[in-house]
């Protein structure tokens, strides 16, 4: 397996075979300013567009902070809350169009504010036992915009609104109870577990994963029958590509022949 490492500003990137690992390494707390966000957006856009990469892992450096969100020191110096955060919006993920590959978040510590919002923009969330979560934007005079949109769709409405209105901190056990995260692991096993999941997904059918992500994203606001029509009538590009692909035939043949499929992504 080929492994390469690069660093752009405060973001460290490791390519490990078909898996991309993105690690925030900014100061003591991994807070994100507009410049860092733009770097992250470019990195995740490159991941999206690279046919050799199948899965990404996002994490932070150290064990205390995953990311507390927007850099309030930059804000105090005049950086506006609606600054240019780059192609993917804040943190590079939240608004990145066409990101149809799995992204795993390995939460190594505190995930607050914009860090929390980046986390819930990922598909699978694995947290260290000591990780904590909160939306304290009310205390800094701003709105947790992405969380206000996404969180009530992810966990019970009353719980989401309590977090948004009060800024209350929850631990990893409560986060898992509400279905906010997938797994809790010891801190020293976090990246090992994230890589296990990433390798499993990297060995899976990329065209199917792409279709799952686009179907989920593009039908969330639709009535059920309309959503079915989007899929069965091939109105979504990823579904149309999948249903006409070699991989679709390979999946059926492998099942009939009782062997492991050989996915080509085409």
């Amino acid at each position: 397996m080929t492994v390469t490492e690069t660093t752009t500003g405060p973001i460290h990137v490791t390519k490990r075979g078909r898996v991309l690992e993105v690690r925030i390494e900014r100061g003591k707390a991994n807070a994100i300013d507009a410049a860092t966000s733009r770097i992250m957006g470019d990195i995740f856009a490159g991941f999206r567009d690279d046919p050799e990469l199948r899965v990404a892992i996002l994490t932070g450096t150290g064990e205390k902070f995953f990311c507390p969100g927007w850099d309030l020191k930059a804000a105090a110096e005049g950086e506006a809350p609606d600054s240019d955060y780059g192609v993917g919006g804040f943190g590079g993920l939240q608004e990145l169009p066409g990101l149809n590959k799995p992204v795993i978040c390995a939460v190594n510590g505190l995930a607050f504010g914009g860090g929390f919002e980046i986390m819930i923009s990922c598909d699978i969330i694995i947290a260290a036992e000591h990780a904590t979560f909160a939306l304290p934007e009310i205390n800094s005079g701003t709105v947790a915009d992405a969380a206000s949109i996404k969180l009530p769709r992810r966990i019970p409405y009353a719980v989401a609104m309590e977090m948004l209105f009060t800024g209350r901190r929850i631990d990893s056990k409560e986060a898992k109870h509400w279905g906010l995260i997938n797994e809790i692991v010891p801190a020293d096993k976090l990246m090992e577990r994230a890589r296990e999941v990433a390798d499993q997904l990297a060995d899976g059918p990329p065209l199917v994963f792409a279709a799952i992500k686009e179907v989920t994203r593009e039908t969330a606001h639709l009535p059920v029958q309309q959503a079915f029509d989007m899929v069965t009538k091939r109105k979504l590009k990823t579904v149309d590509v999948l249903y006409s692909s070699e991989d679709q035939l390979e999946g059926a043949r492998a099942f009939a022949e009782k062997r492991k499929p050989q996915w080509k992504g085409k």
Side-chain angles (χ1 to χ4, degrees):
M1 179 188 297
T2 301
V3 178
T4 61
E5 299 190 43
T6 58
T7 299
T8 304
I11 306 300
H12 186 82
V13 174
T14 303
K15 290 184 180 179
R16 189 176 53 84
R18 293 179 292 186
V19 177
L20 184 76
E21 297 181 9
V22 180
R23 187 168 70 243
I24 307 168
E25 297 183 336
R26 187 166 187 268
K28 294 180 180 179
N30 296 330
I32 294 174
D33 63 358
T36 301
S37 181
R38 290 192 292 271
I39 292 169
M40 293 176 71
D42 290 342
I43 289 169
F44 280 108
F47 162 68
R48 176 196 63 191
D49 298 337
D50 187 339
E52 299 301 316
L53 292 172
R54 300 283 181 86
V55 186
I57 300 171
L58 174 63
T59 193
T61 193
E63 290 191 0
K64 187 173 182 180
F65 296 97
F66 165 64
C67 176
W70 187 30
D71 185 350
L72 292 180
K73 290 183 179 179
E77 293 170 0
E79 184 171 288
D82 58 351
S83 295
D84 176 11
Y85 290 116
V87 65
F90 185 82
L93 278 174
Q94 300 188 67
E95 302 172 58
L96 185 62
L99 181 54
N100 292 327
K101 297 177 180 180
V103 180
I104 299 164
C105 190
V107 186
N108 56 296
L110 176 153
F112 281 12
F116 181 104
E117 293 175 318
I118 296 167
M119 177 191 78
I120 63 173
S121 296
C122 299
D123 303 298
I124 295 174
I125 304 170
I126 303 170
E129 290 172 325
H130 69 280
T132 55
F133 311 87
L135 294 163
E137 279 85 347
I138 58 161
N139 299 315
S140 57
T142 189
V143 61
D145 49 6
S148 297
I149 294 166
K150 295 179 180 180
L151 194 59
R153 304 178 187 184
R154 294 277 295 258
I155 65 176
Y157 176 85
V159 179
M161 298 309 286
E162 180 193 10
M163 291 187 69
L164 288 161
F165 285 157
T166 69
R168 181 174 73 85
R169 180 186 301 210
I170 65 173
D171 61 17
S172 57
K173 288 183 179 179
E174 184 174 357
K176 191 172 189 302
H177 172 76
W178 296 123
L180 185 62
I181 63 176
N182 297 84
E183 292 185 45
I184 303 170
V185 297
D188 61 351
K189 299 293 184 182
L190 178 64
M191 288 305 297
E192 177 183 331
R193 179 58 183 150
R195 288 168 181 150
E196 285 178 358
V197 176
D199 289 344
Q200 178 186 350
L201 296 178
D203 200 35
L207 297 184
V208 177
F209 293 156
I212 289 169
K213 287 202 68 170
E214 188 176 32
V215 168
T216 302
R217 183 177 64 246
E218 298 300 327
T219 64
H221 63 293
L222 297 177
V224 172
Q225 190 56 56
Q226 255 184 283
F228 271 114
D229 288 345
M230 292 286 284
V231 177
T232 58
K233 296 180 180 179
R234 297 194 184 191
K235 294 181 179 180
L236 299 173
K237 181 180 178 180
T238 57
V239 174
D240 188 48
V241 169
L242 172 64
Y243 285 175
S244 303
S245 69
E246 292 180 32
D247 276 4
Q248 196 278 324
L249 289 173
E250 168 63 9
R253 288 169 179 160
F255 179 81
E257 296 168 10
K258 298 181 180 180
R259 59 175 174 82
K260 184 177 179 180
Q262 302 298 311
W263 307 116
K264 296 180 180 180
K266 60 182 181 179

